């Protein structure tokens, strides 16, 4: 049995402004309707795969659970990392969790959730080819046959240029991201594969590798799993124990030090979508190199990426060359296609300037749905709120503001102190300052309402919760 271990706790700042700390790229529908995370889950629904183990940050737990459910998975363990400690502690914690479930002799397939694999059958063939090596004790890293000289990826060196067949072969060494000249030379030589960051191990073999090569990481991760607590079906790793684990990647901690490391070469249309130029390639640009998405008009452009995201403004490109434009309602990125790795630096600059747009989207997602601010003044705020069927907000009150709710779609059950009423489309209700209230959707369609807040303070921290089905503090 192979247990998929899906990593989905990253922030993906290089795809700003679409991907932000509050809503990273793995949960966004970059291509089509499903997110990258959901596409990743679908790869491992077939025979031979067990229920996935998902490693996520606590902030994304309900989002991950909702997207898992939408794929049709009923059983998935969601382990919550208290903080980001890189991939090694996360993967070790997953291995220790599986061992504790009596799965020590099984295999675990570690996969980032924000990658694209176009040819899934080819990739699964490679997984099958790596199974025998992993079962006999090798640590298997999947290597992508390169189709260009790429400076944005690490490489695996093998001893043969015969990489056309997906078969396990020893890794000679790991190579950091090369400069352009070195990348060209390695591409021409044919013995170098892109390190996809996807791994296959026997559970007990990986734990033994940590005990031998990174022993300082084992006790805190073991304690984090042993002291993990159930929270509404999520498993929260112990915060104090996990925070004491060294911060390191699985490559540095284990793979580059281990003796028995193999790779399976594969050509499967893989991309880590590490920057907008990778997205441009995945969008299959036309003969002029133009790729567009959303409300876009282009005239006489070449080698450009033009995207208008989430009801963003219409993008009109005229006679553009080698430019990427990503437009959202609150921010627009305009960058040279040759320097898109610098987007990460731009985000860091925005954070230093105190710009909310660096990390926060206009639409804020909550376990019960989402809201977005439409207008904000000194003593008022106007929001749009969406609550899916069956969801409800916490029972709460406010110290500094009163609220008016106007239902514009669907039906709401509204609690105000001791009164419970049904509010339908084109009806409104008033919540006085200090009143204990709750909103829920009893219907079968999404509930949309406009909320008008008035008072001396309208911040999100002016909430006193008395009851919350999502167990938020």
């Amino acid at each position: 049995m192979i247990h998929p271990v899906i990593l989905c706790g990253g922030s993906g700042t290089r795809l700003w402004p679409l991907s932000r700390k509050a809503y990273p790229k793995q949960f966004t529908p970059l291509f089509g309707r499903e997110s990258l995370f959901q596409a990743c889950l679908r790869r491992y629904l077939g025979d031979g795969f067990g229920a996935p183990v998902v490693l996520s940050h606590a902030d994304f737990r309900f989002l991950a659970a909702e997207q898992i459910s939408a794929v049709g998975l009923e059983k998935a363990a969601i382990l919550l990392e208290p903080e980001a400690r890189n991939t090694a502690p996360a993967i070790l914690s997953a291995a220790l969790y599986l061992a504790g479930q009596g799965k020590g002799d099984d295999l675990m397939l570690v996969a980032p959730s924000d990658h694209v694999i176009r040819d899934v059958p080819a990739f699964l063939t490679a997984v099958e080819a790596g199974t025998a090596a992993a079962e006999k004790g090798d640590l298997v890293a999947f290597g992508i046959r390169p189709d260009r000289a790429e400076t944005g990826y690490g490489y695996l060196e093998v001893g043969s240029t015969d990489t056309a067949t997906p078969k396990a072969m020893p890794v000679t060494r790991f190579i950091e991201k090369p400069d352009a000249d070195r990348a060209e030379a390695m591409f021409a030589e044919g013995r170098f594969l892109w390190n996809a960051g996807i791994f296959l191990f026997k559970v007990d073999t990986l734990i033994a590798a940590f005990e031998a090569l990174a022993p300082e990481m084992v006790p805190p991760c073991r304690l984090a799993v042993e002291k993990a607590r159930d929270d509404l079906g999520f498993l929260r790793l112990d915060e104090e124990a996990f925070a004491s684990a060294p911060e390191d990647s699985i490559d540095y901690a284990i793979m580059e030090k281990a003796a028995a490391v193999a790779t399976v070469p594969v050509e499967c249309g893989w991309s880590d979508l590490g920057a907008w130029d990778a997205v441009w390639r995945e969008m299959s640009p036309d003969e002029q190199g133009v790729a567009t998405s959303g409300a876009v008009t282009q005239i006489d452009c070449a080698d450009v990426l033009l995207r208008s995201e989430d009801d963003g403004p219409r993008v009109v490109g005229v006679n553009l060359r080698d430019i990427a434009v990503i437009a959202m309602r609150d921010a627009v990125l305009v960058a040279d296609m040759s320097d898109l790795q610098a987007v990460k630096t731009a985000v860091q600059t925005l954070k230093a300037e105190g710009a909310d747009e660096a990390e926060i989207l206009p639409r804020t997602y909550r376990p019960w749905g989402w809201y977005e601010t439409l207008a904000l003044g000194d003593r008022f705020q106007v929001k749009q709120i969406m609550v899916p069927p069956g969801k409800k907000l916490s029972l709460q009150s406010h110290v500094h503001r009163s609220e008016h709710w106007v239902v514009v779609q669907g039906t709401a059950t509204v609690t105000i102190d001791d009164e419970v009423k049904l509010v339908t489309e084109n009806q409104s209700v008033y919540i006085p300052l200090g009143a204990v209230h709750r909103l829920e959707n009893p219907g079968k369609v999404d509930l949309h309402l406009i909320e008008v807040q008035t008072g001396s303070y309208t911040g999100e921290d002016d909430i006193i919760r008395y009851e919350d089905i999502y167990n938020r503090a």
Side-chain angles (χ1 to χ4, degrees):
M1 181 68 70
I2 299 176
H3 301 276
V5 175
I6 311 300
L7 308 178
C8 66
S11 58
T13 55
R14 287 185 177 88
L15 292 191
W16 186 89
L18 178 63
S19 175
R20 308 191 200 183
K21 182 179 180 181
Y23 201 88
K25 71 175 182 178
Q26 59 266 29
F27 298 116
T28 62
L30 264 172
F31 312 106
R33 293 186 176 183
E34 284 197 330
S35 70
L36 299 173
F37 174 55
Q38 290 173 307
C40 178
L41 291 170
R42 283 197 184 279
R43 289 174 208 138
Y44 312 117
L45 293 180
D47 295 338
F49 291 104
V53 177
V54 175
L55 275 297
S56 181
H57 190 276
D59 289 349
F60 309 137
R61 64 193 187 280
F62 293 106
L63 183 57
E66 183 176 321
Q67 294 198 358
I68 289 170
S69 177
V71 169
L73 279 168
E74 296 181 357
K75 294 182 179 180
I78 304 179
L79 276 58
L80 302 181
E81 302 173 72
E83 60 180 81
R85 307 295 295 166
N86 213 318
T87 56
I91 294 170
L92 174 58
S93 296
L96 292 167
Y97 167 79
L98 287 169
Q101 302 297 307
K103 310 294 186 182
D105 286 334
D106 289 353
L107 301 181
M108 55 187 287
L109 177 67
V110 177
S113 61
D114 56 355
H115 293 185
V116 163
I117 294 178
R118 292 194 302 275
D119 190 345
V120 174
F123 174 71
L124 295 180
T125 297
V127 172
E128 185 177 355
T131 297
E135 286 179 338
K136 75 178 181 64
D138 284 352
L139 306 178
V140 178
F142 291 92
I144 307 300
R145 292 182 63 205
D147 58 10
R148 64 186 183 277
E150 175 62 60
T151 60
Y153 299 147
Y155 284 73
L156 307 171
E157 182 180 3
V158 295
S160 169
T161 58
D162 180 18
T163 58
T165 304
K167 60 183 178 182
M169 57 179 63
V171 173
T172 304
R173 59 174 171 146
F174 286 71
I175 299 173
E176 292 294 321
K177 297 176 182 178
D179 59 26
D181 290 341
R182 180 63 176 143
E184 290 285 357
M186 290 193 297
F187 179 58
E189 194 168 339
R191 294 186 300 106
F192 299 88
L193 307 167
W194 293 337
N195 182 2
I198 304 174
F199 306 100
L200 183 66
F201 328 101
K202 183 181 283 189
V203 172
D204 283 346
T205 299
L206 180 65
I207 295 172
F210 270 97
E211 290 172 338
L213 302 173
E216 70 284 354
M217 200 172 291
V218 177
C221 289
R222 191 182 299 278
L223 187 60
V225 174
E226 290 175 351
K227 295 179 66 177
R229 60 185 177 87
D230 181 78
D231 179 5
L232 298 176
F234 304 101
L235 193 65
R236 286 184 177 269
L237 299 175
D238 183 76
E239 184 174 353
E240 183 177 353
F242 193 78
S244 65
E247 185 174 354
D248 207 350
S249 71
I250 189 71
D251 285 316
Y252 288 147
I254 302 299
M255 301 301 292
E256 295 184 9
K257 301 175 183 176
V261 178
T263 187
V264 178
V266 58
E267 190 171 353
C268 59
W270 170 89
S271 172
D272 72 345
L273 299 178
W276 281 112
D277 56 332
V279 175
W280 171 77
R281 280 191 291 270
E282 292 303 314
M283 291 175 64
S284 300
D286 65 18
E287 293 180 355
Q288 285 71 45
V290 176
T292 65
S293 176
V296 170
T297 299
Q298 71 87 17
I299 301 171
D300 295 330
C301 293
D303 300 320
V304 299
L305 171 62
L306 305 175
R307 291 179 64 116
S308 179
E309 308 283 356
D310 289 340
D311 300 322
R314 174 167 288 277
V315 174
V316 180
V318 180
N319 199 24
L320 298 178
R321 299 291 185 273
D322 302 310
I323 294 292
V325 179
I326 318 298
M328 299 188 71
R329 280 176 296 149
D330 66 331
V332 178
L333 170 70
V334 181
D336 192 289
M337 289 284 283
S338 66
D339 197 24
L340 288 168
Q341 292 288 338
V343 172
K344 184 176 182 179
T345 303
V347 174
Q348 293 170 344
T349 301
L350 289 172
K351 288 173 63 177
E353 294 173 351
D356 290 342
E357 293 85 354
E359 297 183 334
I360 301 173
L361 285 164
R363 180 171 292 177
T364 300
Y365 291 86
R366 291 288 187 258
W368 46 259
W370 55 259
Y371 73 84
E372 56 187 44
T373 297
L374 306 179
L376 179 63
D378 290 338
R379 292 184 58 85
F380 73 91
Q381 182 171 202
V382 181
K383 290 181 176 179
Q384 180 183 359
I385 295 176
M386 191 284 290
V387 184
K391 297 296 182 76
K392 59 183 176 180
L393 282 65
S394 61
L395 186 66
Q396 59 184 252
S397 66
H398 308 297
V399 176
H400 302 288
R401 69 176 185 258
S402 61
E403 297 173 341
H404 282 86
W405 291 343
V406 181
V407 175
V408 295
Q409 177 182 303
T411 301
T413 298
V414 178
T415 300
I416 304 175
D417 291 329
D418 296 329
E419 181 182 8
V420 180
K421 61 175 69 177
L422 205 63
V423 183
T424 59
E425 290 181 9
N426 206 32
Q427 293 183 336
S428 64
V429 65
Y430 172 64
I431 299 95
L433 185 150
V436 178
H437 60 281
R438 166 175 273 162
L439 172 71
E440 57 186 295
N441 181 356
K444 297 182 179 180
V445 298
D446 290 345
L447 165 65
H448 288 260
L449 61 87
I450 302 300
E451 177 181 84
V452 181
Q453 305 174 356
T454 57
S456 59
Y457 179 69
T458 60
E460 282 301 300
D461 53 347
D462 181 24
I463 297 177
I464 301 172
R465 288 194 177 99
Y466 303 96
E467 179 184 310
D468 182 32
I469 64 172
Y470 308 109
N471 201 24
R472 293 170 293 174

